[in-house]
Amino acid sequence: MRTFKDCVSLQTIEIPGNYTLINEEAFKNGVDIGDDKPTLPAELVIISEKEAELTIHEGRFHQVKRMFEAIGCKVTYLKRISMGPLLLGEL
C-alpha cells in the first residue's frame, strides 16, 4: 500500500523576485526549514524569471513556502498540480 511519503507533489510557484538568483542545488540537497531535520531532496524546474515548478517527496506544514523563505524568497502564488499519480487539473 502506498503512503503519502511515497507520493510526489508537484507545485507551481511564483515569487516577486527573479529565479535566476536561486541556487537549485539548495533544493537538491534538502533545505533547513527550522524542523528537526532538513527536507528531503526536491527538484526545482525554472519555467521563467518569476515562475517555477517544484517537486517534493514529503508534505510538512507549509513546506514549500518555508523552503523558499529559507533561501530568502517569498512565495506570492502556489498551486498544487499533482499529488502522486493524480493530476489535479481545475479542481
Side-chain angles (χ1 to χ4, degrees):
M1 181 168 120
R2 288 189 71 158
T3 65
F4 179 78
K5 289 185 177 185
D6 299 324
C7 292
V8 174
S9 179
L10 179 62
Q11 320 258 340
T12 296
I13 302 115
E14 288 182 9
I15 63 168
N18 187 331
Y19 275 108
T20 59
L21 304 175
I22 294 177
N23 180 1
E24 295 177 48
E25 291 298 316
F27 291 92
K28 288 181 183 177
N29 298 324
V31 178
D32 182 359
I33 58 173
D35 290 346
D36 293 338
K37 57 185 177 179
T39 65
L40 292 176
E43 296 86 41
L44 179 69
V45 176
I46 297 172
I47 298 170
S48 68
E49 285 184 3
K50 296 183 184 274
E51 187 177 4
E53 289 182 352
L54 182 68
T55 303
I56 60 174
H57 301 274
E58 60 186 336
R60 299 186 195 180
F61 181 75
H62 293 287
Q63 179 177 342
V64 173
K65 290 180 180 180
R66 291 169 63 197
M67 289 172 80
F68 278 89
E69 286 173 3
I71 62 163
C73 294
K74 180 178 173 141
V75 174
T76 57
Y77 177 79
L78 181 62
K79 179 179 180 181
R80 182 171 287 142
I81 299 170
S82 68
M83 183 74 154
L86 300 174
L87 292 175
L88 301 178
E90 297 297 321
L91 296 176

